[in-house]
Amino acid sequence: MAQYISKYDIIVIGSGLAGMTAANTLAKSGHKVLLLEKHHKLGGLATWFRRQGGYVFDVSLHGFPVGMIKSCRRYWNAPIADRIVPLPRIVFDNPQFTLTTSFNREDFTRLLTQKFHLAEETVVEFFDTARAMSHTGDASMTTQQLFDRFFPGREDVIRLLMEPITYANGSTLEDPALTYGIVFSNFMSKGVYTFEGGTDLLIRLMQEELERNGVDIKVSADVTGISVENGEVRGVQTGKDLIRAKAVVSNTNLKGTIFHLVGREHFTPRFIETAEAVRLNNSSTQVYMGLKPGESINEDVCGDLLFCSAAPAFRTEMLLSRQITSRTFSFYYPKTRPGTENYAVVSSTNANYSDWADLPEAEYKASKEALIEDTLNALEKYVPGIRGKIGWLEAATPCTFQDYTSHWNGASFGTKYEGLAVSRELPEQIQGLFHTGSVGIIMSGWLGAVNYGFIVANNVDAFMLDQKGKN
Amino acid sequence: MTNEEIRQAVIDILSDISPEEDLENLDDNTPFRDQLSLDSMDVMDIILELRKRYRVNIPEEDYGKLDTMTNTVAYLEPSLKEM
């Protein structure tokens, strides 16, 4: 176990991708950094788990944008970046269309013009408009309005362009168009990627890099409070210990940071009002299916990611319902962990925390069973005889996500757009207090989290140099 | 540091951030973004490196002033000339 001293330059609370990236960047800049994690392993929702019989499941590995390669090379190291590989086959199957795509601008253009019969200039203009969007732009236009402008009445097109984004970050047609434009341009232009070797290898390589750069890491350390005096951060409380630091970076949920770890009395009333109004993003359900040794899945039929639905059209309100039929299957073939023979399928849907948390125990169990049954029924179409092939089967609900991450309402994609401004304002409210992690939709997902970790580290580094100048 | 040394310091950082770029033919009066594949994350990376290597702290509202090489050198000159 790492020795840790009781005084640091910076303490990072939480080791999600954003927290780890912030810790690594700050350590490389010469600061003494302590990284605290409440679980026994690092990674946050970039996680995996093993089950008896050799089964291993990745929770969120498949499908991040190409930008991860550059971000990992710059903020981590080349061996990590070099293991990022494309997922070649992305499949859509729903009552409106069935298609396979390599998930880049050229292929989407081909599909939209040839299969959906749109004019090429409309498609080009749509891609260019999305690419030109930035977080400083007008946030009043919704994603629905953006689609209505380019593809009026074309629910099939909206479904193709929206379903993967909803899977990636939980956003909906009601969210600002600029959040869609930014994420779409990162995500649906140059293919979709995964990490060869699995989440466990990625996190191990990141942990080794953190240790090389001198970050002290303490796992199974549950932070109960952030200590603030006279508007300045003093340190963090974990168990009976108060560990001193000049700056604290919280990589836990934004609202949890403000209302639980710090306490509302330390902020201005206006800030509290704004923070209270921040809407959390939705939660998720997942079903994990491990195939028995010797069983396999037809990669040509299923692809790497399969967006499937029996719903006649794409509707935001249906996406969160427990009667959902829209789900994304992530297929993990032996190529995910070369040298093994593991086949696993992880099904994901978006979900409302309240639909699950308020259920009596018996009903909760029954709902979880129904979720598993519905998922198997849907998968049967693509993997015939799936029930006989499965050796391990379990499900996670919004309550599972809440329990694992301590995120309010089990939010699996951070906050809606307005959360970004609140996260950015934190250091103006309390000197030395920073937040990083999934916020504002655009700073969500793997790439958003890594990049936001770096952005906040840059702010913390500037703050530390300013402090030195004052002393 | 002379202005030529400041320019070289920025070139060194750029070549670390984007090793594949052609920096030999960089035009000092054309925005970086129009001739290099730099995005906003790269700009932040340059700022972090300037702070790390030369202890110049550039406030966020000034990031936009570092758009061309000429403007960047002019901006850094007061902080770096005594180094």
Side-chain angles (χ1 to χ4, degrees):
Chain A
M1 198 173 133
Q3 288 291 310
Y4 68 103
I5 53 171
S6 61
K7 192 157 188 238
Y8 286 87
D9 293 328
I10 299 142
I11 297 173
V12 179
I13 305 168
S15 68
L17 289 175
M20 285 197 292
T21 304
N24 198 47
T25 304
L26 289 164
K28 282 201 284 185
S29 284
H31 305 290
K32 188 78 194 138
V33 181
L34 173 65
L35 176 61
L36 296 173
E37 168 55 50
K38 78 163 188 160
H39 288 284
H40 64 279
K41 62 182 177 190
L42 305 185
L45 265 187
T47 196
W48 74 99
F49 59 91
R50 293 178 189 285
R51 290 293 182 259
Q52 220 169 13
Y55 296 100
V56 53
F57 297 99
D58 297 284
V59 168
S60 58
L61 180 61
H62 266 7
F64 46 75
V66 67
M68 273 296 281
I69 297 175
K70 192 167 138 199
S71 291
C72 283
R73 182 163 287 125
R74 287 298 303 151
Y75 318 143
W76 290 96
N77 56 37
I80 290 176
D82 291 345
R83 284 189 166 269
I84 294 175
V85 294
L87 293 170
R89 291 171 65 84
I90 311 303
V91 180
F92 290 75
D93 185 35
N94 60 61
Q96 286 167 306
F97 55 86
T98 298
L99 59 85
T100 299
T101 171
S102 51
F103 219 74
N104 52 40
R105 179 165 176 164
E106 295 68 36
D107 202 44
F108 280 118
T109 305
R110 174 187 68 84
L111 288 165
L112 289 168
T113 52
Q114 291 176 16
K115 195 174 163 73
F116 292 80
H117 307 294
L118 292 166
E120 181 149 0
E121 54 268 30
T122 308
V123 177
V124 169
E125 205 195 329
F126 177 78
F127 267 93
D128 290 346
T129 303
R131 159 106 10 232
M133 288 179 160
S134 85
H135 70 278
T136 53
D138 170 25
S140 66
M141 187 187 8
T142 67
T143 305
Q144 177 78 58
Q145 287 166 336
L146 173 73
F147 285 135
D148 287 346
R149 188 180 134 202
F150 284 92
F151 314 113
R154 290 299 300 270
E155 296 206 341
D156 52 344
V157 174
I158 294 174
R159 182 174 216 159
L160 173 69
L161 297 174
M162 191 66 201
E163 242 173 17
I165 304 294
T166 301
Y167 162 74
N169 66 18
S171 67
T172 68
L173 292 167
E174 290 74 34
D175 287 315
L178 67 88
T179 67
Y180 177 83
I182 293 167
V183 175
F184 172 81
S185 300
N186 281 330
F187 188 50
M188 294 176 78
S189 66
K190 287 182 178 163
V192 59
Y193 293 76
T194 195
F195 187 82
E196 190 179 272
T199 318
D200 41 342
L201 179 64
L202 171 70
I203 300 303
R204 196 182 81 212
L205 293 177
M206 286 183 166
Q207 180 160 357
E208 285 169 5
E209 180 68 20
L210 288 166
E211 286 166 355
R212 252 194 305 278
N213 292 320
V215 174
D216 281 352
I217 297 170
K218 195 167 186 273
V219 294
S220 306
D222 199 7
V223 171
T224 48
I226 296 172
S227 165
V228 173
E229 280 170 36
N230 305 321
E232 291 176 24
V233 144
R234 287 280 178 261
V236 308
Q237 194 80 42
T238 162
K240 283 185 198 128
D241 302 325
L242 173 69
I243 312 174
R244 291 255 184 215
K246 295 176 193 122
V248 170
V249 180
S250 173
N251 179 213
T252 185
N253 179 270
L254 178 64
K255 293 189 132 179
T257 302
I258 295 167
F259 296 108
H260 279 167
L261 292 183
V262 178
R264 63 175 63 224
E265 65 278 14
H266 294 287
F267 299 92
T268 64
R270 182 205 49 81
F271 181 82
I272 286 298
E273 203 179 307
T274 317
E276 274 174 337
V278 170
R279 295 161 300 159
L280 292 169
N281 230 320
N282 56 264
S283 187
S284 304
T285 74
Q286 287 193 317
V287 178
Y288 310 94
M289 295 155 278
L291 265 61
K292 289 177 196 162
E295 298 289 355
S296 65
I297 294 168
N298 186 341
E299 199 170 334
D300 292 334
V301 172
C302 298
D304 297 289
L305 279 174
L306 167 61
F307 298 99
C308 81
S309 171
F314 180 88
R315 292 275 181 277
T316 296
E317 63 275 14
M318 277 304 293
L319 283 175
L320 297 172
S321 142
R322 273 196 290 141
Q323 280 71 49
I324 191 168
T325 67
S326 289
R327 45 175 57 83
T328 307
F329 289 111
S330 304
F331 291 94
Y332 294 94
Y333 302 105
K335 67 180 180 181
T336 306
R337 289 181 178 75
T340 68
E341 286 301 317
N342 291 325
Y343 285 87
V345 189
V346 178
S347 162
S348 305
T349 72
N350 293 335
N352 278 322
Y353 179 73
S354 58
D355 284 347
W356 292 84
D358 301 341
L359 295 178
E361 200 184 331
E363 212 179 311
Y364 175 81
K365 276 190 175 156
S367 294
K368 210 167 160 175
E369 284 308 313
L371 166 68
I372 291 174
E373 281 307 304
D374 290 348
T375 305
L376 291 173
N377 287 339
L379 189 56
E380 178 69 27
K381 178 176 174 189
Y382 311 100
V383 187
I386 182 66
R387 282 182 167 79
K389 295 180 171 185
I390 287 178
W392 191 275
L393 181 62
E394 70 178 271
T397 73
C399 302
T400 323
F401 283 93
Q402 203 279 335
D403 188 49
Y404 190 79
T405 62
S406 309
H407 288 177
W408 284 26
N409 292 354
S412 41
F413 302 103
T415 73
K416 291 291 187 190
Y417 185 61
E418 62 273 12
L420 182 55
V422 172
S423 170
R424 302 287 285 154
E425 200 193 325
L426 217 48
E428 292 164 35
Q429 289 282 316
I430 294 171
Q431 207 182 317
L433 178 63
F434 298 83
H435 170 263
T436 192
S438 286
V439 279
I441 300 174
I442 59 175
M443 293 302 175
S444 179
W446 281 41
L447 180 63
V450 165
N451 283 354
Y452 196 41
F454 180 79
I455 291 169
V456 171
N458 183 46
N459 297 138
V460 176
D461 186 54
F463 167 77
M464 296 299 288
L465 185 58
D466 267 349
Q467 290 300 103
K468 258 195 185 134
K470 281 177 197 161
N471 295 337
Chain B
M1 288 168 92
T2 65
N3 278 5
E4 191 45 43
E5 286 167 334
I6 295 172
R7 184 183 187 280
Q8 191 54 46
V10 176
I11 291 282
D12 289 347
I13 289 172
L14 285 172
S15 68
D16 285 348
I17 287 171
S18 235
E20 62 281 358
E21 296 283 358
D22 169 25
L23 298 169
E24 301 265 305
N25 297 311
L26 188 79
D27 175 18
D28 286 12
N29 296 311
T30 302
F32 292 125
R33 281 187 190 212
D34 295 347
Q35 43 186 337
L36 307 173
S37 59
L38 289 183
D39 57 25
S40 57
M41 293 303 296
D42 296 318
V43 173
M44 210 163 289
D45 217 350
I46 295 167
I47 284 161
L48 188 87
E49 287 301 321
L50 283 168
R51 197 183 307 118
K52 187 151 74 182
R53 297 180 192 189
Y54 305 103
R55 309 184 67 76
V56 249
N57 215 353
I58 302 164
E60 225 168 324
E61 56 270 24
D62 287 353
Y63 289 4
K65 293 178 183 169
L66 310 181
D67 55 345
T68 66
M69 181 59 93
T70 303
N71 291 344
T72 303
V73 172
Y75 182 90
L76 294 173
E77 191 192 346
S79 326
L80 294 183
K81 66 179 175 196
E82 300 299 328
M83 282 188 79

